[in-house]
Amino acid sequence: MEPVLTPEEMTAVDAAAADRMDELVQRAGAAVARQALRMLGGAYGRRVHVMAGPGNNGADGRVAAELLRRRGVRVSVGTHDQPVPTAVAHDLLIDAAFGTGLSRPYEPPPAPGGVPVLAVDIPSGLDGLTGELRGRPWRADATITFAALKSGLILGEGPEYCGAVEVAGIGLSVDAEVGSGSRLTRGLVTDDDVACHWPGRSTSAHKWQSAVWVIGGSPGMTGAAALVAQAASRAGAGYVLVSAPPAPSSQRSVGEDSRIRTDGTGVPGPHGHLPAAPLPVEAVTRQLNGDGGVGSSWAETVAAEQRVGALVIGNGLGRDEGVLDGVIELLALSDAPAVLDADALGGGGERLLDACARRQATTVLTPHDGEYAALMGDPPGSDRLEAALRLARRGNCIALLKGPTTVVAGPDGRVAISTSGDQRLATAGTGDVLAGIVGAALARDGADPLMSVALAAHVHGRAAMRGPELGFRASDLPDLVAATLDELVTDGYHP
């Protein structure tokens, strides 16, 4: 992963630097000048305006200005509150007003339309921690930042305002703040991470070593469970079971595994509901009995299946209180890793978090903002890194906080961030697909659970980028997941 720092941590990195600040400024300015020349496509005769602030960012900009002049670029330099000269046309604007440590609102002077912008460290007026707007920053085509990514570049409005982000090394070490390598405590997931760390399968593996049991798909919501099953299968699960808990008043006997017919319509069975949306032909349904309440035998039946590598609970489950009772009992009885999504999150609140906190096995909660508020009593707020950590610590779980930038946090304080994907994922059912990928990743023994969850989120987004920009459906995703994994893991890994 690529290290990600908060502004406070970056201040500590600067303070601990072995080199003098003027040397660091010279290196940073040189990096800005190199990036500017790449954007200009040349030097001689080009015109650049640098907006330089009063601090180190402004110093970086002034060094870059001098270096560009030496290369033949015609450069003007103004302060952070002076208007951009309009008597001549500029080929590039350099925003070096303020960096990630800005703690007050700032609105730069208007930028001439149609001129590319290079931001130094971060677009001035963008919050370095949360990515919130603190004014009306110039929208950058590219941002050059130093030593490591900053959280504000990839959270909130950051991705929209920063453009292409490049990290320039200037001789600073971030190890003391966020670690490095396998000890990195906060980082951005990359394709290389998937290539190197996606849970593998040994040559002697059998289907039960990566089995996933999907608990969901109640009447009227069977499509959700079907999407989970399809995604888990395409993400590498060796065996996928699907069951819907009985309604509280129903009495059903435990049935044997029933293989889905090739038309995918499901097996209704004489003892009650089984998910009937099109499932993978390889999927298996298993009927559950009991009344859905405390002591329900359906939870005991699921927990007794020791061969399952992971449970995915909640997709199309329904929010009947009796069903939730069974889910909480299942969490207490089962030693399998569990992914709780959708309906398993919406009505659980403190009671569900208490059940998660008591578990020894891995538990993953995957809320969007509304589900987070239902669990924690308040919405995540602007600091999504801290919000994910609060949930992880409260529930002794891995928290996957969904959003344009996905934040995955563990109770040990580690955080992994994924920026893959785009607005194509803003359609019904894509969260069900994500739950299936997470379940398949967790079902493999030996992998780091937090990293497996973060890799699943990254693969989910990368797969969506393969789909059509218009008319994209969640049911398109599972096949794209398989193709993405094939590319990243099989083709992308070169030991």
Side-chain angles (χ1 to χ4, degrees):
M1 296 193 294
E2 296 183 22
V4 177
L5 271 63
T6 66
E8 182 178 357
E9 290 165 344
M10 190 63 219
T11 299
V13 168
D14 285 334
D19 298 322
R20 299 195 318 269
M21 183 56 67
D22 61 337
E23 294 177 352
L24 298 175
V25 167
Q26 288 294 322
R27 295 171 194 163
V32 173
R34 287 192 295 270
Q35 179 63 28
L37 289 170
R38 285 193 289 269
M39 294 178 71
L40 289 167
Y44 190 77
R46 306 294 201 276
R47 289 187 180 273
V48 172
H49 178 73
V50 178
M51 180 174 65
N56 290 336
N57 252 48
D60 298 341
R62 286 185 283 270
V63 168
E66 179 58 31
L67 293 172
L68 289 171
R69 285 193 188 101
R70 295 177 188 175
R71 294 292 299 272
V73 179
R74 289 176 283 186
V75 183
S76 59
V77 179
T79 65
H80 64 283
D81 54 2
Q82 290 178 327
V84 178
T86 57
V88 295
H90 294 93
D91 300 297
L92 180 68
L93 302 176
I94 298 179
D95 171 8
F98 296 100
T100 56
L102 181 67
S103 58
R104 59 178 176 82
Y106 167 70
E107 291 199 14
V115 182
V117 174
L118 170 61
V120 177
D121 207 20
I122 193 170
S124 301
L126 190 69
D127 190 285
L129 175 65
T130 67
E132 285 186 303
L133 299 182
R134 288 183 169 271
R136 294 195 295 183
W138 290 353
R139 198 180 297 264
D141 296 87
T143 297
I144 184 162
T145 194
F146 309 110
L149 291 168
K150 317 305 185 303
S151 55
L153 300 173
I154 56 179
L155 294 170
E157 303 290 339
E160 184 177 347
Y161 275 79
C162 292
V165 178
E166 178 183 333
V167 178
I170 57 172
L172 295 172
S173 173
V174 302
D175 291 4
E177 298 302 318
V178 294
S180 62
S182 61
R183 296 185 178 182
L184 186 66
T185 58
R186 188 189 309 114
L188 177 70
V189 182
T190 68
D191 287 354
D192 286 343
D193 294 314
V194 178
C196 295
H197 301 297
W198 183 259
R201 184 183 295 174
S202 70
T203 55
S204 60
H206 57 79
K207 62 187 180 184
W208 281 106
Q209 287 177 329
S210 54
V212 173
W213 197 338
V214 180
I215 309 297
S218 297
M221 298 179 287
T222 58
L227 287 169
V228 177
Q230 290 164 4
S233 178
R234 298 302 268 159
Y239 195 73
V240 178
L241 297 101
V242 185
S243 299
S249 60
S250 299
Q251 296 294 327
R252 298 177 183 150
S253 61
V254 178
E256 294 299 318
D257 291 357
S258 305
R259 193 161 299 277
I260 299 300
R261 296 196 301 265
T262 55
D263 62 3
T265 58
V267 182
H271 302 293
H273 170 75
L274 285 172
L279 297 171
V281 295
E282 302 86 0
V284 171
T285 58
R286 184 177 293 183
Q287 288 182 327
L288 301 174
N289 69 352
D291 61 6
V294 176
S296 61
S297 58
W298 77 259
E300 296 171 351
T301 299
V302 176
E305 180 53 86
Q306 297 293 313
R307 296 174 295 177
V308 171
L311 304 171
V312 181
I313 308 167
N315 304 84
L317 185 68
R319 296 189 181 181
D320 185 280
E321 185 174 351
V323 175
L324 180 61
D325 290 341
V327 171
I328 289 175
E329 184 194 7
L330 176 56
L331 292 175
L333 294 174
S334 176
D335 294 326
V339 182
L340 302 184
D341 190 33
D343 291 339
L345 303 175
E350 291 281 333
R351 188 171 165 229
L352 181 66
L353 291 175
D354 287 341
C356 294
R358 289 189 292 267
R359 299 192 85 218
Q360 296 299 311
T362 299
T363 310
V364 181
L365 306 184
T366 61
H368 54 58
D369 285 15
E371 292 162 345
Y372 183 99
L375 286 167
M376 297 290 285
D378 293 297
S382 59
D383 188 348
R384 299 183 73 81
L385 299 179
E386 182 58 33
L389 281 168
R390 282 198 304 272
L391 177 57
R393 288 166 176 155
R394 171 62 182 86
N396 187 35
C397 64
I398 295 171
L400 185 157
L401 181 55
K402 295 173 181 172
T405 297
T406 297
V407 180
V408 180
D412 59 359
R414 291 184 299 152
V415 175
I417 303 165
S418 173
T419 57
S420 67
D422 63 8
Q423 63 272 17
R424 274 169 278 209
L425 290 171
T427 188
T430 56
D432 302 316
V433 174
L434 174 58
I437 304 171
V438 173
L442 286 178
R444 305 284 180 87
D445 285 335
D448 172 19
L450 185 135
M451 179 58 77
S452 294
V453 174
L455 296 179
H458 184 77
V459 168
H460 180 246
R462 291 282 277 109
M465 299 295 286
R466 290 171 169 262
E469 292 192 26
L470 297 176
F472 183 73
R473 305 171 306 170
S475 58
D476 298 330
L477 257 178
D479 286 348
L480 297 175
V481 166
T484 300
L485 285 170
D486 195 51
E487 175 187 319
L488 296 182
V489 178
T490 304
D491 298 337
Y493 181 46
H494 303 289

